[in-house]
Amino acid sequence: MARGRKAGKRANKTVKLSIPKRLYYILYGVAGNNEQKLNKLIRTIIEEKLATSSVAELTELIESGKKEKEEKAEKEEKAEAEE
């Protein structure tokens, strides 16, 4: 007899993460070529970063990412305008 999952909301949410191939293969090698160990490694890295960072530091990381994207877009626009 097959059993379904228990009623109620799940305690954890699933997150899909996009990382560069080079970083993926490095982490995959560290994890011993095992997907489950890779997922655990990534989860541990993220949890440690969140545990040691304050809200202000995390906000700063998000804002710096936005600034970098904006600067990159501006440089591309200038390069197109010069051509």
Side-chain angles (χ1 to χ4, degrees):
M1 186 161 103
R3 297 183 183 190
R5 69 177 189 87
K6 293 182 180 178
K9 293 187 177 181
R10 294 182 182 203
N12 297 320
K13 297 287 185 182
T14 302
V15 176
K16 292 185 179 183
L17 181 66
S18 296
I19 58 175
K21 280 186 179 181
R22 183 175 180 196
L23 179 59
Y24 171 82
Y25 287 118
I26 291 170
L27 293 175
Y28 189 69
V30 170
N33 299 333
N34 185 331
E35 283 285 332
Q36 291 177 333
K37 288 182 181 180
L38 174 65
N39 290 335
K40 187 172 183 177
L41 175 65
I42 292 172
R43 187 179 312 116
T44 304
I45 292 169
I46 292 171
E47 287 174 354
E48 286 180 6
K49 179 66 177 175
L50 291 174
T52 59
S53 299
S54 67
V55 175
E57 290 173 336
L58 295 173
T59 306
E60 186 177 314
L61 282 173
I62 293 170
E63 291 175 357
S64 67
K66 288 180 183 177
K67 288 179 184 177
E68 288 176 4
K69 287 182 181 178
E70 289 173 1
E71 290 174 358
K72 192 174 184 179
E74 288 176 6
K75 288 180 182 178
E76 290 176 358
E77 289 176 3
K78 287 181 183 178
E80 290 176 4
E82 290 177 358
E83 292 177 358

